[in-house]
């Protein structure tokens, strides 16, 4: 693999996820923090108008706007669609990017801790994720890949990329501990790239745990599309913990428990994510697997 020459750190893809935004502001004020000897690092504030409104987005979710057909569609002209085309011109174009690696910074209201999100299984992405999990034991690796389906996230512009997702944290707020942990993950990622370019990095060869995306689960709803149940108290906050058949997942408003009825265990993530109510996602189900690098 060739050396990495340009790295982009993206924050504020969602305007109410303040951790990445204020990290970018810090890096802009103290550029030495992200300066390395053998590659260029730039920051990109992805959605400034949504930040001004303290909203996830203005017109549509920017982090779902990066499919090639949408980027090339002249009829896609709302704010985020136009912004996606601008970002694609700046970092991309997708498939032949000007930047070699993208770090995209996010937060979640779910109890996800420190999560590395993969949008493909490139060996270098897996190696960095494995290294981060080896130096920070709380890191988990979530592979959000739908086979045969193009990814629409901003970091899908580059084949080499990671998403960093931390939580739980309320929308439009900062938490010092998560801010510092996110910054450490960014710094360590840049150090790994620097060492790789110098040929000094003994990229680890070991087993890692990966939570592979299976599907999303919606809330129970009535014929009018209104939710009729909440995340069950026994499931709330149990991201990355095994859910076995027969365990509670929802509690209806009249007190009835709805149970997980599939045949095999799963490991749910993004449980009760606030931003996903509109998407019809109560949680994402994953399969816990061990991979040898």
């Amino acid at each position: 693999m060739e050396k990495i020459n340009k790295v982009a750190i993206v924050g504020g893809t969602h305007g109410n996820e303040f951790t990445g935004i204020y990290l970018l502001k810090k890096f802009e004020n103290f550029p030495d923090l992200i300066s390395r000897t053998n590659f260029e690092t730039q920051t990109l504030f992805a959605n400034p108008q949504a930040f001004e409104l303290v909203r996830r987005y203005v017109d549509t979710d920017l982090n779902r706007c990066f499919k090639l057909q949408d980027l090339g569609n002249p009829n896609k002209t709302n704010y985020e669609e136009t912004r996606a085309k601008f970002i694609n011109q700046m970092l991309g174009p997708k498939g032949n990017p000007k930047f070699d690696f993208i770090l995209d910074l996010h937060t979640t209201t779910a109890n996800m801790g420190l999560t590395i999100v993969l949008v493909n299984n490139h060996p270098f992405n897996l190696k960095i994720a494995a290294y981060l999990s080896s130096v920070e034991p709380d890191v988990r690796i979530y592979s959000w890949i739908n086979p045969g389906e193009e990814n629409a996230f901003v970091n899908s512009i580059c084949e080499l990329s990671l998403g960093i997702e931390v939580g739980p944290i309320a929308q439009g707020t900062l938490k010092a501990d998560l801010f510092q942990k996110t910054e450490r993950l960014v710094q360590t990622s840049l150090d790994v790239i620097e060492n790789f370019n110098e040929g000094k990095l003994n990229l680890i060869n070991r087993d890692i745990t990966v939570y592979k995306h299976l599907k999303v689960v919606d809330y129970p709803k009535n014929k009018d599309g209104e939710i009729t149940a909440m995340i069950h108290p026994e499931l709330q906050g149990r991201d990355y913990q095994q859910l076995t058949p027969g365990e509670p997942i929802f509690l209806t408003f009249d007190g009835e428990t709805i149970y997980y009825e599939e045949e095999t265990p799963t490991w749910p993530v993004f449980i009760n994510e606030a931003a996903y109510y509109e998407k019809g996602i109560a949680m994402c189900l994953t399969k816990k697997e061990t991979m040898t690098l």
Side-chain angles (χ1 to χ4, degrees), residues 223-277:
K223 59 182 175 59
D224 297 320
E226 296 178 336
I227 64 172
T228 58
M230 308 161 280
I231 297 294
H232 196 281
E234 293 184 21
L235 180 60
Q236 180 62 44
R238 287 182 53 199
D239 299 76
Y240 293 111
Q241 296 182 35
Q242 182 173 298
L243 177 67
T244 58
E247 287 192 90
I249 54 172
F250 295 112
L251 182 67
T252 67
F253 296 135
D254 57 6
E256 177 188 352
T257 296
I258 299 173
Y259 299 92
Y260 175 64
E261 296 182 345
E262 300 199 18
E263 296 181 355
T264 57
T266 188
W267 287 258
V269 298
F270 284 114
I271 300 171
N272 204 20
E273 162 60 49
Y276 287 176
Y277 276 72

Side-chain angles (χ1 to χ4, degrees), residues 34-231:
I34 56 172
S35 176
R36 297 296 185 271
T37 59
N38 52 34
F39 62 89
E40 176 188 353
T41 307
Q42 292 187 20
T43 60
L44 174 64
F45 189 170
N47 201 334
Q49 284 193 18
F51 171 61
E52 290 178 6
L53 298 170
V54 194
R55 286 166 44 180
R56 182 174 175 88
Y57 55 79
V58 177
D59 294 313
T60 193
D61 191 335
L62 178 60
N63 213 32
R64 303 296 186 274
C65 290
F66 288 88
K67 286 188 176 180
L68 286 169
Q69 65 180 20
D70 294 332
L71 293 168
N73 186 342
N75 296 318
K76 296 280 186 177
T77 57
N78 72 29
Y79 173 70
E80 273 82 14
E81 291 165 349
T82 302
R83 188 70 182 164
K85 293 174 182 178
F86 168 78
I87 292 170
N88 186 53
Q89 289 178 346
M90 182 176 177
L91 303 182
K94 186 173 184 178
N96 187 26
K98 302 176 186 70
F99 282 73
D100 304 307
F101 194 94
I102 294 177
L103 276 173
D104 189 27
L105 310 181
H106 289 268
T107 59
T108 173
T109 63
N111 190 29
M112 298 276 284
L114 307 178
T115 294
I116 303 301
V117 181
L118 301 172
V119 297
N120 64 61
N121 284 325
H122 191 286
F124 189 73
N125 296 337
L126 289 169
K127 293 281 190 179
I128 292 189
Y131 184 80
L132 292 174
S133 67
S134 72
V135 299
E136 178 54 74
D138 293 336
V139 164
R140 294 181 176 93
I141 303 169
Y142 174 32
S143 177
W144 197 335
I145 301 170
N146 292 308
E149 183 178 331
E150 182 190 357
N151 192 281
F153 295 168
V154 61
N155 56 314
S156 69
I157 291 174
C158 281
E159 187 175 28
L160 304 184
S161 66
L162 294 179
I164 296 177
E165 186 89 50
V166 301
I169 182 170
Q171 296 174 344
T173 67
L174 290 165
K175 287 177 69 176
D177 61 332
L178 291 179
F179 184 95
Q180 292 174 326
K181 289 176 180 178
T182 304
E183 182 174 5
R184 284 199 295 271
L185 291 178
V186 172
Q187 297 280 9
T188 303
S189 299
L190 298 179
D191 292 342
V192 171
I193 293 170
E194 182 177 47
N195 287 332
F196 167 76
N197 280 347
E198 293 178 353
K200 296 178 180 178
L201 185 62
N202 181 21
L203 287 173
I204 55 176
N205 294 290
R206 66 181 186 93
D207 292 341
I208 60 168
T209 299
V210 176
Y211 296 84
K212 291 191 173 182
H213 180 84
L214 295 175
K215 65 178 183 179
V216 301
V217 175
D218 196 358
Y219 292 92
K221 294 179 178 176
N222 62 22
K223 59 182 175 59
D224 297 320
E226 296 178 336
I227 64 172
T228 58
M230 308 161 280
I231 297 294

